[in-house]
Structure formats: C-alpha cells, structure tokens
Amino acid sequence: MRPRSRTNPSHSSDSKERPVRNLVLVLGDQLNEGSAAWEGFDKERDVAWMAEVKGEATRVWSHKSRVAIFLAAMRHFRRSLEKRGIRVEYRCLEDPSNRGGFIPELVRTVQRLKPERLIMVEPGEWQIREGFREAAADLGVGLEIRNDTHFLCSHEEFAEHARGRKQLRMEYFYREMRRRTGVLMDGDQPEGGKWNYDAENRSGPEPEAIGKLRPPRRFPPGADTREVLAQVEEFFGGHPGSLEHFDWPVTREQAEQALQDFVQNRLPSFGRYQDAMWTGEPYLYHSRLAAAMNLKLLDPRRAIEAAEDAYRSGQAPLNAAEGFIRQILGWREYVRGVYWRYMPDYLEQNVLDARLPLPDFYWTGETDLNCLHQAIGQTLQYGYSHHIQRLMVTGLFALLLGVHPKAVHEWYLAVYVDAVEWVELPNTLGMSQFADGGIMASKPYAASGRYIERMSNYCKDCRYHPGRAIGDDACPFTTLYWDFLARHADTLSSNGRMSLQLRNLKRKGTDELREIRAKAAELQERLAPSS
C-alpha cells in the first residue's frame, strides 16, 4: 500500500472557485520564480497550473532518476508558490483521475475554470510548444507564449548572429557573447589575451589529482522527495536506472549550495581535468549543475558570476573559470539557438545514413568493453556522465558502429537527469553523431581506442588492446574507427579537418583494410543486428 500523498492530489490548493483572468502554465523545466511568466501576475485574478503526467516519463523510456528529479523539484516549487500566496492548480501523478498527458489535463482545467487567457514561457521542446498552441486554438482561448529570459541570448539575437553566415560556429558566437556581456573581458579584449584555454584543459587522469578529489555535496532526500522516489518505483518500476544514489538538488536553495560547493572545491582543477575519465569516479571535478540549470532552479548568470568572481579573487585559475563559463555562455546558449533555428526538420537529419538499432547493452551496461561498461553502468546508477563520457565513449561508439541518430537521441533523452530536448538533441544528433552534416560541429568526433586510453584508465582493465584493429584482442573502437573512415571517405573528403585522418586511412594496405572491414561487419551484426 503506497503512502498517502502529502501533496493534495486534487485539482487546486484553493477549494473556493473564483473567476480566472490568466491561467499561467508552468512546466517541470520552468521552475524559476523570476520567470517572465510571472510578469503582471495578480494573485486575486490569476492562477498557476502544473501537472505531473505519465506521458512525459514514457515518451522515451526515462531513467527513474530523471523522472524523480522533475517530480521532486515540481512539488517543492509548488510549495514555494503557495507560500507566496499564489493559487496553484496542481495535478499529482497518483491522482486516480490523472489523464496522463499535458493536453488532456489542460483541457479539463480550462473547461472548468474558463480563464480569459493562457500564459506560458516557451517550452524547451518544439513538439510540446506546438501541442499547447493547437490545444489553445481548439479550446478557443488565447495563448501568450513569452520569451524565456532565463537564457542570455534570445531567438532574435541568435538569428542576427546567424544572418549572412555560411556556417555557424560556436567559437565565434561565444566571442560575441563575451563582448556583449563583458564576461571575462579586459576592455575590448579577452581576459588573459586568449578567448579559450583548450590547450591547457586536456590532461588525462593523474592519480595524485584523483586522490585530492572532494566529492560533490549531497542532498539526501527529505520526506517529500522520498515520497516521490516511492511513487516512481511504483509507477515506473520497470524503467531503467536506480534511485539508490538519488541526491540531486531539487530546490533553488540547494542549487545555490551546489554551486558554491563546486566553486570552492572543484572549479580550481576543473579546467585541467575536465576531459579526464577514471574508473569509479562519476563526477571527478565536474559541477553537477546542468540539471539544476535546465530545470531553472539555478540562473546561468549566477553560475557565470560565481566562476568569474573565483578567478578575479585568485581562487581559481583563468583556464578553469574560462572553461566552465564557455560551457554555459558558449555551448549552452549556442545549442539552444541551433535547436530553435532548425526544428522541426532537425530531428530527421541523418546525413551519414546510419541505420542500425542501438545495442541492447546501452540499457544494461553488460559489455566486455570496459569503457562502455563504466560509462553506461555509471549512467544507470546515477543518471549522469560527464561530457567526454557522453561524446567520446557512448556517443563515439554509436557513431562508429552506425546507429540510427534518432535512436541515439532517444537514449540520451531518456537516461540523463539533465536531459531536456533543446539541449540534448543538437548535442547528440549534431555534435556526437554528425547527423546534421556540420551545422553543430565542423567535423565528426571520430577517434580510435587510443583516445580513450589517453584520457582514462579504462583500457588498463580491458581485454581489448586500443592500438589494434584486427585480431582477437583488437579494440572494437579502433576496428570501427577505420571502417567508419572507409565507409564515409567520399562524404568526408571535402572536409578539410578530416584530411589527416583520411591520409592515414590511405596508408592502410588493401589486405589489412579488407580484414578490418570484415571484422567491423561482424561487430555490427553481433552488437546491433539490423533485423
């Protein structure tokens, strides 16, 4: 028998009906009290609307921790709104009358309250935005979709940046954002004389650095969050992942504490070791802040300001502060711009014509490739892996194998607690799988097992040899790397950044390449059979 919900599963926190002017729609990734949705809000005439719906957890086979962080954060946010005297129409997951989808729940509320207008901040997913637009039109009620001021670059500003450019490149966008915001600037020049410090931020794992690690601050679940975890196990017990280690920040106060913990304890070494991977260390020097930012519990301006202040005060070196800021002010804003500029067609991009299904071990971690076993196992345990594990282990293997990019996208959207489509889709389909042909990235992130050997200690305990492409102990990454180059040589020949790799391919003897390609075909058939 499940515990009785502490949050009222009924429709409203106010049993007394009164005329409603605006119904303000709040989604699970819009939990910021400074949102544009609240501009002009009148507590006497306006009502907030929130709904927990099974459809958002089952549209992709979502990790239990991904479901839990959304629900827990939503319930805490509801409480904070009610403390401010805001009436909240809230539908709980366990309510027997819950219709399981945003639109059916909205239709029922609109038909009952008859608001004059609906207001919402733009959703983080194209399909959801269009669904609300269609529903409002069908209901005959006006819908105002407001710009999301959480972000530092509006759609109009991104369009202005893109106007007249033959190619979009994050580096130039990032420089423009630095100039516009004044972040890490010295007058009109970048602080320190360089725009980025990538060359200083590529160290592999060093045992002495691992030994100095301080684990991220944990946020043990309180009573409300424990109730959510129990309900997730009840309703989504067959979903992937574990809730055993759930300790994510689910309130604005916790997100701020997580930021301060990162700045004090891991930011100083973040730059140098941001690409490193180490067995049994899921977080290393990373921040664990993406989920809080993507739910809007943490304003990106706060994170940028804290990192810059740490540099200015001598607490963190420039390469660390710049590397962290670039992920937010550069990549995060750029990815959002790409998403909204190219959707909905972007979702169907597949320029490399990759067709294979995702291997089953992506859902279990049961593989004898130690790097994949570590990265996927960690993902299933925590709902987290850092950007190099995503790009250069799980993403790289899918790219080299030839997995359909939409299948890779759906897996990434399902398994990570920080996954919202606007940020996940371009990073996966564009940067990781190169399915967009170069919109997001200037070249495929294709590499052999040697890269993983250099950036991790995974290969030390693996049965495969990263330097070998043929033979019983050949690393599948290395075999598939050469096969990938051979398969796509014509397509990639016009890409200047691939010229060195293609020249190395030409040095392979005919017999060696034939053997490599035969072994690659065997791997494809065994790991991702097409039928």
Side-chain angles (χ1 to χ4, degrees):
M1 185 173 179
R2 69 172 180 261
R4 185 175 179 82
S5 174
R6 285 182 173 81
T7 53
N8 182 1
S10 65
H11 60 264
S12 175
S13 60
D14 186 346
S15 59
K16 188 176 168 183
E17 299 293 350
R18 58 180 182 258
V20 174
R21 182 185 64 158
N22 296 323
L23 187 66
V24 176
L25 315 182
V26 182
L27 304 182
D29 61 340
Q30 298 178 340
L31 308 181
N32 47 332
E33 295 183 4
S35 165
W38 306 113
E39 293 175 6
F41 189 91
D42 185 334
K43 294 177 184 178
E44 297 301 317
R45 297 186 292 165
D46 300 336
V47 174
W49 176 89
M50 300 177 73
E52 303 170 2
V53 294
K54 290 182 181 178
E56 286 306 295
T58 57
R59 194 157 46 91
V60 293
W61 199 30
S62 293
H63 193 296
K64 293 174 186 175
S65 288
R66 180 174 184 259
V67 180
I69 195 172
F70 274 85
L71 296 184
M74 287 173 67
R75 293 189 184 187
H76 282 92
F77 189 69
R78 173 200 183 176
R79 288 184 182 276
S80 73
L81 293 179
E82 290 176 339
K83 287 179 181 177
R84 293 166 52 198
I86 292 175
R87 176 183 169 190
V88 184
E89 288 282 328
Y90 195 99
R91 182 68 64 181
C92 282
L93 182 72
E94 71 273 22
D95 188 332
S97 64
N98 191 313
R99 295 181 176 180
F102 283 139
I103 303 309
E105 283 297 324
L106 178 64
V107 168
R108 175 163 54 187
T109 304
V110 169
Q111 289 174 342
R112 178 168 53 82
L113 296 184
K114 297 179 174 55
E116 298 174 15
R117 180 175 59 162
L118 307 178
I119 293 175
M120 71 186 310
V121 165
E122 183 175 65
E125 185 171 329
W126 186 89
Q127 182 179 342
I128 290 177
R129 185 189 70 178
E130 297 308 296
F132 277 107
R133 280 178 169 169
E134 292 174 12
D138 291 343
L139 288 163
V141 62
L143 171 64
E144 179 184 344
I145 298 180
R146 295 179 176 175
N147 291 334
D148 194 339
T149 54
H150 166 88
F151 295 96
L152 288 87
C153 182
S154 69
H155 296 328
E156 294 76 17
E157 288 166 334
F158 191 85
E160 180 61 31
H161 166 79
R163 187 172 292 114
R165 295 179 185 268
K166 293 182 179 179
Q167 290 182 320
L168 296 178
R169 289 294 172 258
M170 194 284 292
E171 179 65 25
Y172 301 114
F173 171 80
Y174 172 56
R175 294 180 186 185
E176 189 175 290
M177 291 297 290
R178 291 267 296 274
R179 292 189 184 100
R180 185 195 306 170
T181 61
V183 170
L184 285 182
M185 295 295 291
D186 181 7
D188 61 353
Q189 296 300 310
E191 183 71 24
K194 294 193 293 186
W195 289 105
N196 76 62
Y197 291 82
D198 267 352
E200 299 175 27
N201 290 348
R202 293 173 178 157
S203 291
E206 297 172 354
E208 60 271 21
I210 303 299
K212 296 176 183 177
L213 271 174
R214 291 187 60 176
R217 177 167 180 171
R218 299 183 65 245
F219 298 93
D224 289 343
T225 301
R226 289 197 301 271
E227 182 176 86
V228 165
L229 300 184
Q231 290 174 354
V232 170
E233 288 289 9
E234 177 181 356
F235 290 104
F236 308 105
H239 280 228
S242 168
L243 294 172
E244 179 184 356
H245 303 284
F246 189 93
D247 63 352
W248 294 94
V250 292
T251 68
R252 182 176 58 85
E253 293 77 16
Q254 290 178 344
E256 178 65 27
Q257 292 165 10
L259 172 62
Q260 294 305 320
D261 170 71
F262 166 67
V263 169
Q264 292 168 16
N265 297 319
R266 295 185 304 288
L267 176 61
S269 295
F270 167 77
R272 182 173 181 179
Y273 299 112
Q274 66 177 296
D275 289 358
M277 299 173 283
W278 191 266
T279 300
E281 293 290 349
Y283 306 119
L284 292 173
Y285 288 95
H286 290 265
S287 72
R288 285 210 332 167
L289 293 172
M293 258 188 286
N294 292 350
L295 296 182
K296 316 279 174 59
L297 299 174
L298 179 66
D299 192 303
R301 296 163 186 82
R302 272 292 302 128
I304 292 168
E305 176 186 38
E308 183 168 18
D309 286 349
Y311 161 68
R312 301 284 184 193
S313 67
Q315 185 180 347
L318 180 56
N319 69 301
E322 187 279 319
F324 177 68
I325 287 170
R326 178 156 27 102
Q327 290 189 345
I328 301 172
L329 186 61
W331 276 114
R332 189 170 187 265
E333 296 287 331
Y334 177 73
V335 164
R336 177 175 179 262
V338 167
Y339 178 84
W340 286 109
R341 184 173 177 83
Y342 291 99
M343 280 295 283
D345 296 341
Y346 194 82
L347 183 58
E348 306 303 324
Q349 295 293 304
N350 187 7
V351 300
L352 298 180
D353 196 33
R355 298 291 173 185
L356 293 180
L358 191 74
D360 290 342
F361 64 73
Y362 273 73
W363 298 105
T364 66
E366 296 172 2
T367 171
D368 60 0
L369 281 83
N370 190 45
C371 59
L372 284 165
H373 174 69
Q374 293 293 328
I376 295 171
Q378 169 190 311
T379 296
L380 294 175
Q381 273 192 301
Y382 302 99
Y384 174 86
S385 65
H386 69 66
H387 67 280
I388 292 299
Q389 292 172 309
R390 300 187 200 194
L391 178 65
M392 300 305 296
V393 179
T394 53
L396 173 61
F397 193 78
L399 170 72
L400 300 180
L401 191 66
V403 177
H404 197 294
K406 189 179 284 189
V408 186
H409 149 63
E410 290 174 350
W411 183 77
Y412 276 88
L413 186 61
V415 299
Y416 291 114
V417 298
D418 55 37
V420 181
E421 191 176 86
W422 67 264
V423 65
E424 174 277 324
L425 177 59
N427 270 314
T428 301
L429 190 142
M431 190 175 182
S432 171
Q433 302 303 296
F434 201 67
D436 65 6
I439 293 173
M440 263 291 291
S442 59
K443 64 183 284 291
Y445 279 83
S448 73
R450 285 293 196 192
Y451 175 87
I452 297 170
E453 181 185 37
R454 185 168 68 253
M455 300 308 299
S456 76
N457 70 340
Y458 294 156
C459 299
K460 179 171 66 70
D461 297 317
C462 188
R463 67 174 291 263
Y464 299 109
H465 193 292
R468 295 175 186 161
I470 52 178
D472 292 340
D473 64 347
C475 174
F477 277 87
T478 303
T479 303
L480 292 168
Y481 166 73
W482 293 112
D483 180 68
F484 173 86
L485 292 180
R487 289 199 318 267
H488 301 296
D490 289 343
T491 301
L492 300 176
S493 61
S494 60
N495 188 317
R497 295 197 63 197
M498 295 297 295
S499 58
L500 177 60
Q501 289 166 288
L502 293 175
R503 284 199 300 271
N504 290 336
L505 174 69
K506 289 180 180 179
R507 295 191 180 100
K508 295 287 182 187
T510 302
D511 291 342
E512 181 186 11
L513 189 56
R514 185 183 299 115
E515 192 171 349
I516 287 172
R517 302 211 65 188
K519 187 170 182 62
E522 183 274 325
L523 285 168
Q524 290 172 321
E525 179 59 31
R526 176 164 58 86
L527 297 176
S530 55
S531 61

